[in-house]
């Protein structure tokens, strides 16, 4: 639900067809705006968790694990040799029961994760979706409300602005050309254009597409079509849900057990050092790698969406070549590319160039 917006004019695109719709409206300062887009119908929603596990709660659980591990270590060190021997003998005596309990627990978790996997018919890839999409969209509604409240006082273009009409027309063209895609057809999309020189665009899980005028000034229509296709791809691939699901599984099944073992086995200073190192490895080896993979995946699907709209697909790699020139990296940047959330501009240009023969075949099938 949108709160009362303080901007002079908050505008969204409004187009309706039989196959899909881009719902939008204008909000004056005296009007309360409500979210019009329906929630997606998703399978297995009875088993999906609410998306309440945020970064703060994960850090809190990690802190509790460290405290618990340190407490257990201190308690163990305070025990006499006889008591330690009795506990060790008891664990050995009940080793089969302990192993069976652990195996059953892991089996239940594995069954739940397998049930939460869904096959993407477009990419023929199995993806993990633990969270409920409806809850993720509600969270996105709140984030959009906050963003519009902050930016709407000076930076939102009205529907009458030529730049807004240009972006809205490009978005409509892509959506209409891909209206057979269920996740495009079954939701209402919203276009917001921000008067800001930053070369950027992003999408929220509830279908809000934000485009900065810095992007519109740099990119031509074909390039902007591919960029918007990229943002649509993030949404229809449900990247936010998939990313949060993977992070939760790695956190619960890997980080928490490792943290507990290190807290119990090592002294305080060494435990903190090794836990920090494991957190860094998790951040670089899982989190950043997953984000870059999703960006590459959105590049591919976004180019396919744009190709169906008969745009010049060669403009994709040319745009990123321009960005590589504009964003010339520091001298030693290439040594730390693995610390970035996005692939390098030149690597994205090379990847999009390699996809041109394949997407041109799609254009032939689309009658372009």
């Amino acid at each position: 639900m949108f709160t009362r917006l303080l901007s002079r004019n908050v505008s969204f695109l409004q187009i309706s067809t039989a196959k899909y719709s881009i719902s939008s409206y204008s909000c004056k300062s005296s009007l309360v705006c409500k979210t019009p887009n329906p929630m997606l119908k998703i399978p297995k929603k009875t088993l999906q968790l609410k998306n309440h596990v945020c970064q703060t709660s994960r850090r809190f659980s990690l802190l509790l694990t460290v405290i618990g591990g340190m407490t257990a270590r201190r308690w163990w060190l305070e025990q006499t040799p006889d008591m330690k021997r009795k506990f060790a003998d008891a664990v050995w005596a009940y080793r089969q029961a302990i192993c069976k309990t652990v195996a059953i627990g892991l089996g239940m978790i594995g069954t739940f994760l397998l049930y939460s996997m869904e096959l993407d018919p477009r990419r023929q890839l199995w993806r993990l979706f633990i969270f409920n999409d409806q809850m993720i969209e509600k969270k996105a509604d709140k984030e959009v409300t906050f963003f519009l409240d902050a930016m709407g006082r000076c930076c939102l273009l009205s529907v009458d602005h030529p730049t807004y009409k240009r972006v809205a027309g490009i978005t409509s063209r892509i959506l209409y050309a891909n209206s057979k895609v269920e996740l495009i057809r079954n939701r209402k999309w919203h276009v917001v254009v921000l008067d800001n020189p930053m070369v950027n665009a992003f999408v929220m899980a509830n279908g809000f597409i934000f485009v900065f005028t810095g992007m519109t000034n740099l990119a031509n229509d074909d390039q902007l079509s591919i960029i918007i296709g990229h943002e649509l791809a993030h949404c229809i691939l449900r990247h936010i849900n998939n990313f949060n699901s993977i992070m939760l599984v790695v956190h619960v099944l890997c980080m928490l057990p490792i943290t507990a073992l290190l807290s119990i086995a090592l002294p305080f200073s060494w435990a903190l050092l090794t836990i920090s190192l494991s957190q860094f490895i998790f951040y670089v080896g899982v989190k950043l790698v997953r984000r870059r993979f999703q960006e590459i995946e959105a590049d591919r699907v976004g180019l396919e969406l744009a190709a169906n709209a008969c745009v010049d697909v060669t403009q994709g790699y040319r745009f990123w070549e321009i960005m590589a020139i504009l964003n010339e990296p520091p001298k030693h940047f290439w040594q730390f590319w693995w610390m970035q959330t996005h692939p390098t501009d030149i690597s994205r240009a090379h990847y999009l160039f390699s996809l041109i023969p394949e997407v041109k075949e799609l254009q032939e099938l689309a009658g372009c």
Side-chain angles (χ1 to χ4, degrees):
M1 303 293 276
F2 291 114
T3 57
R4 211 174 274 272
L5 301 179
L6 301 179
S7 58
R8 302 188 311 272
N9 189 1
V10 181
S11 304
F12 305 102
L13 176 67
Q14 184 174 19
I15 299 177
S16 295
T17 69
K19 295 183 178 180
Y20 73 98
S21 64
I22 307 178
S23 171
S24 49
Y25 40 85
S26 296
C27 302
K28 304 296 182 179
S29 59
S30 59
L31 182 64
V32 177
C33 305
K34 297 183 178 180
T35 308
N37 57 307
M39 300 303 179
L40 288 178
K41 295 181 179 179
I42 56 177
K44 311 170 189 174
K45 63 181 180 180
T46 55
L47 283 182
Q48 288 188 322
L49 304 177
K50 293 183 178 180
N51 185 20
H52 63 277
V53 184
C54 61
Q55 189 68 21
T56 302
S57 63
R58 292 177 189 173
R59 291 176 180 174
F60 182 71
S61 64
L62 201 66
L63 177 61
L64 289 180
T65 304
V66 172
I67 295 174
M70 294 297 179
T71 303
R73 174 182 171 81
R74 182 176 179 180
W75 173 83
W76 177 255
L77 293 177
E78 291 175 351
Q79 300 303 309
T80 62
D82 290 340
M83 289 297 297
K84 291 180 180 179
R85 191 177 303 108
K86 288 181 180 180
F87 280 112
D89 292 340
V91 171
W92 179 255
Y94 293 99
R95 63 187 183 278
Q96 291 184 354
I98 294 174
C99 291
K100 289 180 181 178
T101 302
V102 173
I104 291 173
L106 293 177
M108 293 176 64
I109 293 174
T111 301
F112 172 76
L113 294 180
L114 287 176
Y115 194 81
S116 300
M117 298 289 289
E118 296 181 17
L119 179 63
D120 180 2
R122 289 179 58 87
R123 311 303 310 154
Q124 292 299 309
L125 294 175
W126 286 95
R127 304 178 190 274
L128 180 65
F129 297 105
I130 292 178
F131 297 110
N132 189 303
D133 283 338
Q134 296 179 0
M135 299 304 300
I136 290 181
E137 291 188 5
K138 287 181 180 179
K139 182 180 179 182
D141 287 342
K142 295 179 181 179
E143 293 174 349
V144 168
T145 299
F146 174 81
F147 191 81
L148 291 179
D149 192 29
M151 301 295 293
R153 306 182 185 188
C154 62
C155 302
L156 295 185
L157 298 185
S158 68
V159 293
D160 298 323
H161 196 281
T163 301
Y164 184 90
K165 291 182 178 179
R166 177 190 171 204
V167 176
I170 290 172
T171 306
S172 300
R173 179 184 177 186
I174 297 175
L175 293 176
Y176 182 80
N178 295 278
S179 57
K180 293 182 179 180
V181 179
E182 183 179 0
L183 293 180
I184 286 181
R185 185 177 64 251
N186 289 350
R187 78 154 64 237
K188 294 184 179 179
W189 300 88
H190 314 266
V191 173
V192 182
V193 182
L194 301 171
D195 187 11
N196 189 294
M198 183 182 299
V199 182
N200 194 19
F202 63 92
V203 68
M204 302 298 290
N206 57 355
F208 273 79
I209 305 168
F210 292 82
V211 181
F212 292 71
T213 53
M215 177 68 76
T216 63
N217 293 334
L218 177 65
N220 59 38
D221 286 358
D222 290 326
Q223 293 170 349
L224 191 57
S225 298
I226 295 172
I227 295 300
I228 292 176
H230 171 95
E231 302 306 331
L232 292 174
H234 277 306
C235 208
I236 66 176
L237 292 171
R238 300 158 67 194
H239 274 166
I240 294 178
N241 191 336
N242 179 244
F243 180 81
N244 288 340
S245 299
I246 293 175
M247 293 304 105
L248 176 62
V249 170
V250 174
H251 178 77
V252 172
L253 297 185
C254 296
M255 292 312 303
L256 290 184
I258 290 174
T259 300
L261 290 175
L262 292 175
S263 301
I264 295 173
L266 298 176
F268 180 75
S269 57
W270 282 101
L272 289 183
L273 179 62
T274 53
I275 290 171
S276 299
L277 179 60
S278 62
Q279 282 284 302
F280 177 77
I281 295 174
F282 163 71
Y283 176 75
V284 174
V286 179
K287 193 171 185 178
L288 292 183
V289 169
R290 189 62 194 175
R291 286 195 180 277
R292 289 196 296 269
F293 172 80
Q294 289 185 340
E295 290 298 324
I296 287 294
E297 188 177 44
D299 278 344
R300 181 186 184 93
V301 176
L303 189 63
E304 292 174 355
L305 296 177
N308 290 332
C310 299
V311 305
D312 181 4
V313 293
T314 63
Q315 293 297 317
Y317 84 89
R318 290 173 180 170
F319 172 81
W320 287 110
E321 285 182 339
I322 294 173
M323 291 296 294
I325 296 173
L326 295 178
N327 298 330
E328 185 176 359
K331 183 178 180 180
H332 301 292
F333 171 82
W334 297 109
Q335 300 177 10
F336 300 98
W337 61 267
W338 43 271
M339 286 291 293
Q340 305 300 313
T341 59
H342 287 58
T344 61
D345 296 335
I346 195 64
S347 66
R348 298 178 81 169
H350 291 163
Y351 181 66
L352 290 176
F353 181 81
S354 68
L355 295 177
I356 290 177
E358 182 178 338
V359 293
K360 281 192 173 181
E361 292 181 3
L362 291 178
Q363 289 187 322
E364 292 180 1
L365 295 176
C368 298

